Amino acid sequence: MDTTPAKLRIIFEHNDIRKLVLPSGIPRTLAELICELQEAFHIPGEFTVMYQDMDFDGQFCTLSCIDDVEDKGTLKVFQTEPIVLNLSPVEVLDIDSSIAEQSSDNSSRHSSGPQDTILLSSSGTSYRSELWPAKFQVPTFSYDVDVSLEAGNQAYQKDGTLLSNPRLRSSVLEKLAEEIFRYTAYPTGVQVLAVLEALLEKYPCLKEPGSLNGMYGWQQRIRYKMGNYRAKLRCRKFACPELEVNSRKSQASNERGPKGIKRPKKAEVNYLPPLPFGETGDTLERERIDLLNEIKKKNNDKIIGEKMERSFSYRRLEVVQHCPAVHDFMERWPAMFSELQIKEEFRRITTIHLERTFLTKLDFYTPKLQEIFGTKGGVAGTKIRPLLDSLSQPDGSSDLPSDDECG
């Protein structure tokens, strides 16, 4: 193996150009090069690497083969910092549909926007209203793409011919990125696999030649496409806090690096939603101050609920960016610490109805818990057994023991 040292010119921005020295020479694989870049420059999150293609007068192209990297060559790192609204399916047994209906009902009570959309509408809520689907639905492509895919499927069924058309592939990836973003800006590996399984099940002609499951190349392309899609959204005029919170400019110097990245946790559908249309930080701060007065009034749950709903994105921005202490947060948002608003905030973040989900799970595990408690011995078992016997009565006619008997 050639171990001649190599040097690379790395462009981050037009005013941020650095030198990378590789004592062992150009890495053997693209993955090794990416690791070298990440370790040398402490690049947080995902990024795309481009190289100067002399066939096109030195224009930058996405690097897909390590053979395109030469000593003293120029590479460009296009950063795709992670964030929006990651969510994972939460199984709720046989009442999935009822919980979804409840979530939809809650949204309709607090939102004036259309309920068939997930992202913010101009007059509705500023956050998503659906979990990642149990089975990803492949979106409808444009007419010409759809016709090409159907023709490709016919050829695949006839003699196993795989469809290889870069322009068609680009159109498919663009549409998939749009559909994925409706649920999350930063899909996990499992979610990407779910997308590809649905895509290749519907269009087997798109399988990757030479790949064991036909997906490997598609996995990389989707990750790159999502990074490009996020970058495109960041260039738009409208604010998208979920994409901006991890940008190099917004991060404090002591937060730079992987530990400073603010990623949503599992099931956090609305990690950092944008402010409602027409609202600013100043207007929502006034809304927060009004809340301090409204909470002092009796029988005021409706108005408090409306103001808490409207200020949700402003509150999340405060939580994610500043990580306030609990006592400071209680002083600023006392309405948040009522039973009703805790359940509502959980619904806003996850789209899951907390109480109903908990009780449904409890019903599911109750027989097993009864079985465990029934085997308990000693004084505790003696006290618990009458309760279990009363629960086993079909008509519930047995009298429950008094509090004194239960200890």
Side-chain angles (χ1 to χ4, degrees):
M1 184 183 69
D2 183 13
T3 58
T4 305
K7 298 177 182 179
L8 296 176
R9 179 171 174 263
I10 311 297
I11 300 176
F12 288 92
E13 297 177 5
H14 70 278
N15 58 351
D16 186 4
I17 302 174
R18 310 182 197 180
K19 180 173 72 172
L20 175 64
V21 178
L22 300 168
S24 301
I26 304 297
R28 292 176 298 175
T29 66
L30 183 58
E32 291 178 4
L33 175 62
I34 290 175
C35 289
E36 291 279 0
L37 289 168
Q38 206 158 23
E39 291 177 6
F41 302 113
H42 305 289
I43 305 173
E46 300 176 0
F47 59 91
T48 300
V49 181
M50 297 183 175
Y51 75 101
Q52 279 187 310
D53 193 333
M54 295 307 165
D55 292 339
F56 297 96
D57 300 325
Q59 295 294 317
F60 282 100
C61 298
T62 301
L63 180 63
S64 58
C65 179
I66 195 65
D67 294 336
D68 293 324
V69 181
E70 299 177 352
D71 183 24
K72 296 185 179 180
T74 298
L75 301 180
K76 186 173 184 179
V77 174
F78 186 83
Q79 193 139 9
T80 55
E81 306 89 351
I83 176 185
V84 195
L85 320 158
N86 210 343
L87 48 120
S88 300
V90 178
E91 296 180 4
V92 191
L93 309 177
D94 293 331
I95 69 153
D96 283 345
S97 57
S98 64
I99 289 178
E101 291 172 3
Q102 178 68 30
S103 177
S104 177
D105 291 343
N106 288 339
S107 298
S108 63
R109 289 199 300 269
H110 297 288
S111 170
S112 58
Q115 296 302 317
D116 58 346
T117 57
I118 297 178
L119 290 177
L120 166 68
S121 67
S122 60
S123 59
T125 57
S126 60
Y127 47 90
R128 296 181 171 96
S129 61
E130 291 185 24
L131 290 166
W132 182 272
K135 182 174 176 58
F136 186 83
Q137 298 297 318
V138 178
T140 302
F141 300 110
S142 61
Y143 175 75
D144 58 323
V145 172
D146 198 46
V147 169
S148 299
L149 289 174
E150 290 299 332
N153 270 351
Q154 293 177 7
Y156 177 81
Q157 292 170 2
K158 183 179 179 181
D159 53 16
T161 302
L162 296 176
L163 190 59
S164 179
N165 185 327
R167 182 174 296 180
L168 179 70
R169 187 167 57 206
S170 178
S171 299
V172 169
L173 287 170
E174 185 71 24
K175 193 66 178 180
L176 288 177
E178 292 177 8
E179 187 69 12
I180 292 171
F181 195 86
R182 296 178 65 239
Y183 301 101
T184 174
Y186 297 90
T188 64
V190 174
Q191 290 168 338
V192 169
L193 284 175
V195 172
L196 292 178
E197 286 173 357
L199 177 68
L200 299 183
E201 180 182 352
K202 187 172 183 180
Y203 301 110
C205 61
L206 291 176
K207 289 182 179 179
E208 185 79 11
S211 175
L212 183 63
N213 55 8
M215 296 183 184
Y216 179 76
W218 280 100
Q219 288 177 266
Q220 308 308 315
R221 294 187 191 104
I222 286 182
R223 291 193 179 97
Y224 284 135
K225 177 56 71 173
M226 288 303 299
N228 293 335
Y229 191 77
R230 292 190 294 265
K232 182 171 68 173
L233 290 181
R234 278 195 295 270
C235 295
R236 301 288 174 86
K237 292 182 179 179
F238 60 82
C240 192
E242 295 164 325
L243 301 180
E244 296 168 358
V245 68
N246 289 322
S247 65
R248 295 171 65 86
K249 292 181 180 180
S250 66
Q251 280 186 306
S253 59
N254 60 346
E255 287 185 340
R256 296 289 171 83
K259 292 184 179 180
I261 295 174
K262 297 177 174 63
R263 290 179 180 270
K265 296 181 176 62
K266 184 177 181 181
E268 285 185 339
V269 179
N270 295 299
Y271 177 67
L272 192 54
L275 301 182
F277 183 78
E279 300 283 2
T280 64
D282 292 336
T283 61
L284 292 175
E285 175 63 18
R286 289 196 291 270
E287 194 82 10
R288 185 192 68 81
I289 294 172
D290 289 343
L291 258 172
L292 298 178
N293 297 323
E294 295 295 341
I295 199 173
K296 298 175 183 177
K297 303 176 184 178
K298 295 182 178 180
N299 303 319
N300 204 23
D301 289 342
K302 182 178 179 181
I303 295 177
I304 290 174
E306 291 173 352
K307 289 184 177 294
M308 288 292 287
E309 189 84 17
R310 195 174 303 122
S311 58
F312 170 61
S313 55
Y314 181 63
R315 193 162 52 254
R316 285 299 297 171
L317 193 65
E318 182 177 325
V319 170
V320 173
Q321 283 196 328
H322 304 296
C323 300
V326 174
H327 65 273
D328 294 333
F329 194 71
M330 288 183 70
E331 289 182 3
R332 287 178 56 80
W333 302 95
M336 179 71 250
F337 292 84
S338 67
E339 179 185 349
L340 174 61
Q341 286 305 320
I342 287 175
K343 291 189 288 189
E344 283 298 296
E345 194 79 351
F346 186 88
R347 177 192 60 78
R348 295 180 193 112
I349 296 173
T350 67
T351 75
I352 297 295
H353 190 284
L354 176 60
E355 188 173 20
R356 177 172 295 190
T357 304
F358 171 76
L359 293 176
T360 302
K361 288 290 187 181
L362 184 61
D363 287 343
F364 176 73
Y365 290 112
T366 293
K368 188 64 177 179
L369 291 172
Q370 287 179 280
E371 182 182 332
I372 294 172
F373 293 147
T375 61
K376 197 168 184 66
V379 177
T382 303
K383 293 179 179 180
I384 291 173
R385 200 158 290 111
L387 288 169
L388 296 177
D389 292 341
S390 67
L391 292 174
S392 64
Q393 295 295 328
D395 57 355
S397 58
S398 297
D399 294 331
L400 290 172
S402 65
D403 292 338
D404 293 336
E405 292 175 328
C406 292

